[in-house]
Amino acid sequence: MKIIRTPRSMAAWSERLRREGVTIGFVPTMGALHDGHRSLIRAARLRCDALVVSIFVNPTQFSQTEDLSTYPRPIARDRALCREEGVDVCFEPTAPAMYPEGFETTVTVPALARRWEGEARPHHFAGVATVVTKLFGMVQPHLALFGQKDYQQAALIRQLVSDLNLGVAIRVLPTVRERDGLAMSSRNVYLSPDERRIAPLLFQALRTGRLMIEGGMSDVAAIERIMRQTIEQAPTIHVEHLAVCDPDSLEPLSVVADRAVLLGAVRIGSIRLIDNLLVNVPGGKSGTTR
Ligand code: AMP
């Protein structure tokens, strides 16, 4: 496995392979790799001739009060996982190489970034959209894979790839979970044993919501209330949002008819966890947005 550190060498490697007709798959990450990342890497490995994984803790998607300096960076373990999975290039650019002095441009997708994660983390999605656009420019992949775990992020990336004609195929793969349902996340390591015990309540609430919808309940206010009650069994979890939304626009629904995405975010102590579930109502018609 090759380790590439500069944008220029990354682009040169990709240009050479593209000239030879090799298809390039790409999995962008912030490292601290777990089985969620591994599932994206494996899927990409099967679909492409060459595979690039980037590891870059992107400073512009963290706010001042967030965990940029303490974000886990187990680089030796991450490289070992990449080697094990047959990755060809681990791309590890530095922040100054990504954002040299004089860097000016920001990519934004305002409508999709406005609510939910975007509301809680105002500059987050501009940071994500900009870094992903830059990484695509360097890696020049044919295919890039993302996790459903970050549903709003995946929606935003599909939109920007289409709007900017980036010519990268996007695939979004299901969330990989721990045995008790907690979505795998690099941030789960911060949870104390007591916090870890109650963390699966977020998934349980979303699953309760999905069961209610699949069972024929369409009243969103009632569904949201019951989901919230599921979480509030534990007084130390604070609900940030739990919403039943249109899966494409992410606008909140007032009535569920055919498809919905349930989006959730909670805070346990200083840790923020997100999760989501898609729901299909068999034989349903379009829903109504609020
Ligand atoms: P991150 O390193 O957190 O920026 O995530 C890199 C990629 O892995 C993103 O596309 C995430 O959505 C995806 N990912 C993170 N956690 C999971 C998970 N539990 N299951 C599937 N994909 C995930």
Side-chain angles (χ1 to χ4, degrees):
M1 185 178 77
K2 219 174 150 64
I3 293 168
I4 296 185
R5 292 179 181 282
T6 68
R8 188 200 283 224
S9 343
M10 186 66 248
W13 184 89
S14 292
E15 274 152 25
R16 183 170 56 75
L17 264 67
R18 275 192 162 250
R19 271 199 303 274
E20 292 167 4
V22 169
T23 57
I24 302 173
F26 179 39
V27 179
T29 83
M30 297 207 300
L33 304 180
H34 50 65
D35 283 351
H37 300 108
R38 194 191 291 271
S39 84
L40 303 182
I41 294 171
R42 283 194 179 161
R45 184 65 284 172
L46 291 174
R47 288 177 175 83
C48 298
D49 302 323
L51 174 53
V52 179
V53 170
S54 63
I55 297 180
F56 178 58
V57 184
N58 177 36
T60 66
Q61 68 192 68
F62 288 75
S63 73
Q64 297 275 324
T65 57
E66 287 177 336
D67 54 349
L68 173 64
S69 62
T70 55
Y71 197 85
R73 290 171 170 84
I75 190 66
R77 229 189 49 199
D78 287 348
R79 286 182 188 156
L81 185 150
C82 289
R83 251 184 226 110
E84 227 172 271
E85 297 298 334
V87 170
D88 296 294
V89 170
C90 198
F91 179 38
E92 302 171 12
T94 61
M98 291 294 275
Y99 303 108
E101 224 175 281
F103 183 86
E104 273 289 343
T105 303
T106 303
V107 179
T108 57
V109 189
L112 281 170
R114 187 162 65 94
R115 293 182 188 274
W116 320 123
E117 289 310 284
E119 205 173 325
R121 309 174 70 190
H123 304 291
H124 175 70
F125 283 127
V128 170
T130 305
V131 81
V132 169
T133 306
K134 284 173 67 66
L135 288 167
F136 283 0
M138 296 163 194
V139 177
Q140 301 164 52
H142 296 85
L143 171 70
L145 290 94
F146 293 86
Q148 190 192 316
K149 154 89 187 337
D150 300 282
Y151 189 94
Q152 190 173 6
Q153 167 176 289
L156 197 124
I157 286 162
R158 281 189 199 281
Q159 179 80 39
L160 85 85
V161 165
S162 161
D163 288 350
L164 300 180
N165 308 89
L166 297 186
V168 180
I170 303 295
R171 278 194 72 108
V172 178
L173 295 195
T175 304
V176 177
R177 300 178 179 283
E178 303 287 354
R179 289 160 72 100
D180 58 10
L182 175 65
M184 288 192 181
S185 162
S186 308
R187 291 192 166 95
N188 291 351
V189 297
Y190 300 141
L191 295 166
S192 70
D194 280 348
E195 291 169 341
R196 174 64 188 82
R197 211 166 308 118
I198 54 173
L201 281 172
L202 172 56
F203 172 64
Q204 283 166 28
L206 296 172
R207 203 175 42 179
T208 302
R210 182 167 69 181
L211 281 171
M212 287 189 290
I213 295 169
E214 286 171 348
M217 194 181 228
S218 60
D219 173 356
V220 165
I223 298 165
E224 287 177 355
R225 193 173 54 247
I226 295 168
M227 289 199 295
R228 185 175 278 272
Q229 283 165 358
T230 307
I231 291 187
E232 287 173 349
Q233 292 171 50
T236 49
I237 304 194
H238 168 73
V239 174
E240 290 211 341
H241 62 256
L242 269 174
V244 181
C245 302
D246 179 278
D248 302 316
S249 68
L250 305 189
E251 290 299 307
L253 292 169
S254 53
V255 178
V256 187
D258 60 344
R259 297 160 63 237
V261 62
L262 311 182
L263 298 176
V266 297
R267 193 173 282 285
I268 309 181
S270 61
I271 297 141
R272 194 160 179 283
L273 300 176
I274 59 169
D275 201 350
N276 67 85
L277 282 179
L278 275 165
V279 196
N280 281 302
V281 182
K285 300 186 196 68
S286 305
T288 316
T289 48
R290 273 182 252 168

